Amino acid sequence: MKRARERAASIAILTTIPMMAQAVAGRAVRDTLFLSANDASRLPEAMLGAAGLSLATAFSISRVMPRWGPRATAVIVSGINGTLFVVEGALVDVAPRAIGALAYMHVGVVGALVSTAFSCVVNERFDPYYAKAVVSRVHTGAALGGVLGGIAALILNEVFELATLFYCLASLSAIVAVGAWNVGGSTQPPRTTDIDTRTGLRTIRADGYLSQVAVTVTLLGGVGVFVSYAMKTEASLRFGDASSLLSFFTAYYTATAVLTFLTQAGVTKPLLEKVGLGRTMALLPLAVGLSAAFGAAWTRLWTATLARCSQEVLSSSVFRSGYELLYLPLPLRKKRATKALIDIACNRIGYVAGSLIVMGIVGMTATLEVATSWILGIAGVMAFVAVWLINRLHDGYVRELARSLRVGTVVPESDEIVDATTLHTLAQSATVLDREELLEGIEAFEKTRDAKETRSRRALAAQLADLLSDDPQRVLNVLLYESLSWRLAPHLIDRLGTDAYAGPAHRALERMCTRITGQLVD
């Protein structure tokens, strides 16, 4: 089991490299093709169209993923992604303006779906503790893939035409699909019911913690639109031909990928360990707010690029590494029903709102230069609001983690919560809670030790009731708990005699074998 887990982690890291190489090169080709065939004033319309389409697909994927699972969803979306690249490569010389618009929509919409589906595969494939180590390495691999993708696009641009670049991007989709299939393995939980797929929005509205995550993602999505528009507009005003634009965008995306890789590899982990989850994530809006304010006061290509680069580098490194950890304390069904909605839908709602604001500003101002200055100023204000929201989100994460520890979602035994190994793992997850802070978080929810023991007994009783139930869904759900109590071992052994439950029961016994050696020998 350990060897299979390590093999899956290695495949996840290797798959992330071509996935991010495709994303970086695809964005460079997309931006070049669109801006060389259209005026920069049409850019807000393209942003709005891509955001609206992404919003629609986000709701669709939130219904599909709980039913199919992240593994199948990632493979299918990667196949669609590759097919579209092939179509665009075949038609780019025939209808460059139409293909430019199609590529802008395609890369912005389907590319985001591939990334989200694959992150869900990784998030569900590994138990919460091991996932924390895997997520960090996966993001390092993603940063390396971005570097390689930018360099490859820069070299291929000098040798081949755009059509060939599209075909190269399509080939990477096949690699991503194979990797996602092998990472998923055969240990994913069973499909949820149709009722689960319809509760994502209601769950977000009813859960204060998820609502905070959704608002933060929405706000940062709008900030991303503003700084992206500012940089692309300044670039289109500076460079006139397609070759110069492609060289600029390729160099920019390569540089951001290099900076992302260096930040992820050398800065993210120490920051998470030393300053905590909230402060690490807050670096993104803080840096963007300062650089955008500077760009608003002195609007140039390099100042707009600095704001955009700050947003892209920190979003893909320190912020993303912390953001993925926000979902670890959540129950599996809640995570499946809401993560895609928040990752894509809330982000795209921010894109839609931001695009509408950009369109309004461009329509009201005399020149694109003036519009860019106003847009960067608004981006700075919104970024500073996001800093405040993230500080509140950190407190919500601590409460959610304490609740999960208490009810058994993450760790079932109260003595294990203060175990040195467990505390070390929690520190690696960027909560940076030492023993005293963890105990204070738990004590804030539990007034007396008697109340805590009562809740623990109730959680154990609920697990036992599910395990002895005649409902296969309830039995499988409890067998798949990564933190199932060792006290249920005799009942797990009984379930080995049923074919439908033998595999999950065997894996559950493996996880607790050090606690039940005597029973296993008997």
Side-chain angles (χ1 to χ4, degrees):
M1 180 177 179
K2 182 178 179 181
R3 181 176 298 177
R5 184 181 66 177
E6 292 175 349
R7 175 178 177 273
S10 299
I11 295 175
I13 296 168
L14 293 176
T15 303
T16 307
I17 295 175
M19 182 177 74
M20 290 308 300
Q22 181 192 69
V24 168
R27 282 182 286 175
V29 172
R30 171 201 67 180
D31 293 341
T32 298
L33 188 58
F34 182 85
L35 289 174
S36 62
N38 299 275
D39 187 79
S41 61
R42 303 295 301 274
L43 189 58
E45 299 175 11
M47 288 181 166
L48 180 61
L53 187 58
S54 290
L55 188 58
T57 57
F59 285 104
S60 299
I61 207 74
S62 69
R63 295 178 64 86
V64 167
M65 191 176 294
R67 301 173 66 181
W68 293 357
R71 182 194 193 190
T73 304
V75 172
I76 293 171
V77 173
S78 295
I80 295 173
N81 195 33
T83 302
L84 288 173
F85 276 127
V86 171
V87 172
E88 290 157 2
L91 300 178
V92 66
D93 293 328
V94 178
R97 185 182 294 271
I99 294 302
L102 175 62
Y104 202 95
M105 301 293 175
H106 156 216
V107 174
V109 176
V110 184
L113 293 179
V114 172
S115 178
T116 296
F118 187 75
S119 70
C120 289
V121 172
V122 173
N123 204 288
E124 290 193 11
R125 174 61 179 84
F126 306 102
D127 63 84
Y129 294 143
Y130 191 71
K132 293 164 185 172
V134 173
V135 165
S136 177
R137 286 183 284 164
V138 164
H139 285 300
T140 302
L144 176 61
V147 174
L148 297 177
I151 294 174
L154 196 60
I155 296 174
L156 294 176
N157 176 43
E158 302 295 330
V159 180
F160 300 106
E161 298 179 348
L162 274 178
T164 304
L165 293 180
F166 278 117
Y167 296 139
C168 292
L169 293 172
S171 66
L172 293 177
S173 288
I175 299 175
V176 174
V178 173
W181 182 261
N182 283 279
V183 171
S186 59
T187 60
Q188 295 197 89
R191 300 174 183 177
T192 54
T193 63
D194 290 339
I195 295 177
D196 293 325
T197 68
R198 295 193 293 266
T199 59
L201 286 175
R202 292 197 295 270
T203 300
I204 294 173
R205 287 197 298 265
D207 190 296
Y209 174 67
L210 286 174
S211 297
Q212 291 179 6
V213 177
V215 172
T216 303
V217 170
T218 303
L219 188 62
L220 291 177
V223 172
V225 168
F226 295 145
V227 295
S228 177
Y229 172 82
M231 186 199 73
K232 292 174 184 178
T233 299
E234 290 296 314
S236 68
L237 294 175
R238 173 72 64 85
F239 305 105
D241 59 291
S243 178
S244 298
L245 276 173
L246 183 56
S247 296
F248 169 77
F249 283 121
T250 303
Y252 164 77
Y253 285 122
T254 303
T256 55
V258 170
L259 291 173
T260 300
F261 175 76
L262 295 175
T263 304
Q264 180 66 32
V267 178
T268 299
K269 184 177 179 180
L271 279 175
L272 289 172
E273 292 177 345
K274 293 179 180 179
V275 304
L277 181 67
R279 291 179 181 176
T280 299
M281 293 175 62
L283 286 178
L284 166 64
L286 181 61
V288 175
L290 293 174
S291 58
F294 179 64
W298 192 17
T299 307
R300 299 289 189 276
L301 174 59
W302 72 270
T303 57
T305 302
L306 177 63
R308 174 58 172 166
C309 184
S310 300
Q311 187 268 336
E312 194 149 10
V313 170
L314 296 178
S315 177
S316 301
S317 56
V318 294
F319 181 83
R320 194 70 193 182
S321 293
Y323 173 78
E324 290 295 333
L325 300 177
L326 296 177
Y327 292 94
L328 290 179
L330 299 179
L332 178 60
R333 289 192 176 185
K334 182 182 289 189
K335 185 189 306 181
R336 276 195 173 187
T338 59
K339 190 175 189 300
L341 277 176
I342 295 176
D343 280 8
I344 303 177
C346 292
N347 180 267
R348 296 314 178 188
I349 289 173
Y351 266 57
V352 169
S355 299
L356 290 173
I357 294 173
V358 169
M359 290 178 64
I361 294 175
V362 171
M364 292 187 297
T365 53
T367 63
L368 290 176
E369 291 86 347
V370 175
T372 302
S373 178
W374 275 96
I375 288 168
L376 286 173
I378 296 174
V381 173
M382 292 176 61
F384 289 127
V385 174
V387 174
W388 174 74
L389 286 175
I390 289 175
N391 287 331
R392 294 190 60 191
L393 185 60
H394 172 77
D395 296 336
Y397 174 74
V398 173
R399 291 193 297 269
E400 190 70 20
L401 177 61
R403 186 199 63 80
S404 298
L405 291 170
R406 186 178 68 253
V407 301
T409 303
V410 177
V411 180
E413 303 296 335
S414 60
D415 59 337
E416 292 177 357
I417 295 175
V418 296
D419 177 76
T421 302
T422 303
L423 289 175
H424 175 71
T425 306
L426 289 173
Q428 298 303 312
S429 74
T431 60
V432 196
L433 292 173
D434 58 21
R435 177 186 177 115
E436 289 75 22
E437 290 174 323
L438 183 59
L439 288 173
E440 288 174 3
I442 297 174
E443 289 171 358
F445 291 91
E446 300 174 339
K447 300 300 183 180
T448 65
R449 184 170 182 81
D450 291 339
K452 178 172 60 178
E453 293 176 351
T454 299
R455 291 188 180 94
S456 178
R457 287 195 297 270
R458 288 176 180 174
L460 185 63
Q463 291 180 349
L464 178 60
D466 288 342
L467 191 59
L468 299 179
S469 169
D470 294 329
D471 184 356
Q473 185 70 46
R474 292 176 61 188
V475 176
L476 285 172
N477 282 342
V478 74
L479 288 175
L480 289 166
Y481 287 163
E482 293 288 344
S483 52
L484 193 62
S485 174
W486 62 270
R487 294 188 175 93
L488 299 176
H491 305 286
L492 294 177
I493 294 173
D494 290 341
R495 288 300 186 181
L496 291 174
T498 305
D499 291 341
Y501 307 139
H506 185 272
R507 288 189 290 273
L509 289 169
E510 281 185 330
R511 290 193 294 271
M512 60 181 69
C513 62
T514 58
R515 305 289 298 272
I516 58 170
T517 305
Q519 295 184 60
L520 293 178
V521 171
D522 292 342

